[in-house]
Amino acid sequence: MKGRKPALPCAICLCSCLVVLLGGTHTQAILSELNKPCGSNQQPTELGITFTSSVIDAEYIVAFDDYYTKASRQGYISAALGNTNTSWEIISRDNPAASFPSDFDIVKLPREDASVLKVLLRHPKVKQVTPHRKVVRTLKMMEDDDILLEQDIGPHPACNGTEKGPCWTEVLNFRGRSSLSLATAFWHATGRHTSRKLLRSVPKQVTAALHASTLWDMGFTGAGVRVAIFDTGLSEKHPHFKKIKERTNWTNEKTLDDGLGHGTFVAGVISSYKDCLGFAPDADLYVFRVFTNNQVSYTSWFLDAFNYAILKKINVLNLSIGGPDFMDHPFVDKVWELTANKVIMISAIGNDGPLYGTLNNPADQMDVIGVGGINFEDQIAKFSSRGMTTWELPGGYGRLKPDIVTYGSAVTGSNFKGGCRSLSGTSVASPVVAGVVTLLYSSVRHKEDLINPASMKQALMASARRLPGVNMFEQGHGKLDLIKAYQILSAYQPQASLSPSYIDLTECPYMWPYCSQPIYFGGMSTIVNVTILNGMGVTGKLAGKPTWHPYVPQFGNYIDVSISYSSVLWPWSGYLAVAISVVQDAVDWDGVAAGHIILTIESPPQGDESDPRRSTLKLPVRVRIIPTPPRSKRLLWDQYHNLRYPSGYFPRDNLLKKTDPLDWNGDHIHTNFKDMYQHLRSGGYFIEVLGAPFTCFDAKQYGALLLVDAEEEYFPEEISKLKRDIDEGLSVLVFADWYNTTVMKKVKFYDENTRQWWMPDTGGANIPALNELIAPWDMAFSDSVYAGEFSLASHDMYYASGSSISKFPEGGLIITQTLKDQGETLTVLV
């Protein structure tokens, strides 16, 4: 267990379907259901998105408790390390923020030394010490069968080898991270055309689709609003922009211009005044070049640039970048500081759809407006990442994200060589929202004291139009509506709100997955993670405890509700976790029960106010209750023993997916195992999630326990309890991957810039831990790694990167197939 037992030697993390049956009589029907072929509509779309990341060897970001001058910071570090007999140096940072006080430094040590880091942390001025990270993004050519991804509108060089400038080509890259900041590539372009696609009706201007001219005609054009674009730069002489107030370079290259085209396109969607129009042509543009032409950046570049944005009193900041690394603590902390300073941050939710659990950071943060993509037919784009958030796993449940969706397919924007082009991706949808937010901000500048990250997000969500037939983890609150958002913002008064604003476990498909399974007595609590948005102030709290009010005529007394919540709301937000269960009186009851939760949010008075600001909220709750199903139909999914990136390098389940090696979807029944969940539900099974050790559930209630892709170790008490449970009739299905130290070495990858090897923290599963768990039954997995295709019960099957059974009790049933040994065929990733 994390923090309780020493780690076992590890390899890479992937997932296949090697099944071990232990005890009980309920497994045959379950396996029969899992072997049914999935419908074609369940096949995931492969977009070729990559993700990589790296930590710079022996370089650390030392964060201080406040902003200090360069001399003061050096003095604190010297005082901390002066008696350690260790050589060290502070890495010089030559950028526009260098002459201002800062809250961090980069310290280079001769080697990693935990004792030195502890000494640094003991200094009273040092807040935290974290590894320095390098980011690498790869611009890739992608294809989407549903949309026209790139169409030249104006002059643009052809990729024929004779023109100067970059061509958009597919690249395989494992060095660093593969997005403009923390992870995957967020946009893609291709010149692939067909007559069918060219016949599609696509608006020439995205501004027309959202009726921006209505506000333009009222005299609002973004004037007076400071907009920051963190990207690849922008040429000062580009003809589409008339108010470039400042360009700054935060990289180690001596240029301010855009050598790739991404930053120019993003800036054009926000603020172009001719040809391909942006939403806010009169906004003041502040261009932050944070990526090199080789698509490299560092966490420290972002931190300095973010500090400078605060100094410049930026109003709106677009970040068409992101990734799964919500544990890059300096970055996350700095985003919180930005929004606490009233910077409205808009960020792309990710291009890892249609898979669930693929939200990117910082768009998945409560204080950031996270944007997903749709096409011009109001369909969710296949590439748009889906929720839930995975910060809360394994013990809790994720939050609702994205916040809203808008056009991200075939959107027209500025070409860095002049003219216009059409691109797709959530990094296109993000500047659409940033442009809208800038335009809206300019329309209410007379109420500027009321505009903040929470109030702007509240207006966007309250005005969004719900898309029919789409669940909340795909569309958030719905499609962006500029005109309605203007109406709401014009009449806005400081208040708190909830996201989602109600809990209805009967409403399908919007409330999927909650609506897909009724609740019953004895089941694990259903957890709904509600976000509290506080437009009254950057900080706040709950005034008293939330209270549950059952509607007795609507059988609300059959519901048991427990609530946990943020002790402090900061910045602008917090959480309200609602755990819903059924009381014993309803063990045989079938029907709908309802009630509501009341809570009051309080923030300090503002300006001349003497009393605290208060906002009382009502959260309606409605659930479907059924009689408790028989034990044979109840399955328990073990979430507690699943780990994923970013806590370590846990590779994907399939070793052949070399372009996206990190397993960061949470391995949850509602994320990357969504198809399995739906298959079992259609077979009449009820699936509950265990977010605690094995000692915390009553095995007599369940037909089978599912152990899928487990990476964590097991307590001795868990092993003993599971043996007793199986002896008393519990079945256990183990979906095991592989664990082989030789293969681990082959799937490591080398970062040429930081000169480091990335080694996986475990195999596809923690086979040594699983072997310890199943040893009492004289069972064991081997350390071999196999893959291949075969047929079973007239179904074509694919076995992706899994182990084999090396030991099994006499008289047991084993199905054998001849497969390829992947350990002999894999090559090292470099």
Side-chain angles (χ1 to χ4, degrees), residues 133-197:
R133 296 177 179 268
K134 181 188 69 66
V135 179
V136 172
R137 178 192 197 274
T138 303
L139 297 179
K140 299 176 59 181
M141 182 188 298
M142 312 292 287
E143 294 186 0
D144 190 312
D145 294 336
D146 289 344
I147 54 175
L148 179 64
L149 288 174
E150 176 181 351
Q151 180 180 357
D152 291 335
I153 310 299
H156 175 63
C159 290
N160 56 14
T162 61
E163 301 285 354
K164 295 181 180 180
C167 292
W168 309 108
T169 58
E170 186 169 359
V171 179
L172 176 63
N173 191 337
F174 291 94
R175 298 180 294 277
R177 292 182 181 165
S178 59
S179 90
L180 282 178
S181 98
L182 299 179
T184 57
F186 262 71
W187 70 299
H188 48 272
T190 177
R192 181 173 177 263
H193 300 264
T194 69
S195 58
R196 179 182 296 274
K197 291 174 183 174

Side-chain angles (χ1 to χ4, degrees), residues 759-776:
M759 290 288 292
D761 288 342
T762 184
N766 195 332
I767 295 297
L770 285 172
N771 280 345
E772 184 181 3
L773 183 70
I774 63 179

Side-chain angles (χ1 to χ4, degrees), residues 113 364 503 562 586 609 657 684 688:
D113 190 331
D364 61 351
I503 298 172
S562 61
E609 299 170 350
K657 289 192 174 182
E688 302 171 36

Side-chain angles (χ1 to χ4, degrees), residues 211-403:
H211 309 292
S213 60
T214 301
L215 268 67
W216 295 343
D217 291 343
M218 297 167 64
F220 306 125
T221 57
V225 182
R226 299 183 173 198
V227 185
I229 299 169
F230 279 59
D231 219 290
T232 58
L234 177 66
S235 170
E236 185 179 27
K237 298 179 180 179
H238 197 288
H240 287 179
F241 306 97
K242 58 182 178 180
K243 298 196 74 174
I244 301 176
K245 295 295 272 187
E246 184 178 21
R247 298 184 305 152
T248 51
N249 176 38
W250 305 87
T251 74
N252 54 16
E253 293 179 339
K254 303 301 181 182
T255 180
L256 293 163
D257 291 342
D258 181 7
L260 297 174
H262 189 266
T264 303
F265 186 90
V266 168
V269 172
I270 295 173
S271 197
S272 170
Y273 81 98
K274 59 188 287 190
D275 298 337
C276 33
L277 301 178
F279 289 89
D282 288 317
D284 296 333
L285 284 186
Y286 290 77
V287 180
F288 291 71
R289 189 176 188 269
V290 291
F291 272 83
T292 69
N293 287 334
N294 291 327
Q295 304 159 45
V296 173
S297 187
Y298 291 82
T299 296
S300 60
W301 293 356
F302 276 95
L303 300 184
D304 274 328
F306 284 154
N307 282 342
Y308 194 71
I310 294 172
L311 286 170
K312 289 293 181 177
K313 299 187 183 301
I314 294 298
N315 304 122
V316 180
L317 191 154
N318 182 76
L319 210 59
S320 286
I321 56 181
D325 198 351
F326 52 78
M327 291 184 69
D328 188 356
H329 295 296
F331 187 96
V332 172
D333 288 350
K334 189 57 65 176
V335 170
W336 285 337
E337 185 179 349
L338 273 167
T339 59
N341 280 276
K342 298 186 73 172
V343 178
I344 301 171
M345 179 177 284
I346 299 96
S347 187
I349 206 68
N351 277 2
D352 296 287
L355 294 176
Y356 281 67
T358 54
L359 302 173
N360 284 234
N361 178 266
D364 61 351
Q365 294 184 207
M366 290 185 284
D367 54 322
V368 174
I369 300 173
V371 184
I374 60 175
N375 61 25
F376 284 102
E377 296 173 356
D378 288 354
Q379 300 166 329
I380 299 293
K382 288 192 298 185
F383 55 73
S384 188
S385 289
R386 272 70 164 167
M388 58 185 173
T389 62
T390 58
W391 293 47
E392 297 78 9
L393 299 179
Y397 197 84
R399 289 172 284 107
L400 170 59
K401 281 279 185 169
D403 295 307

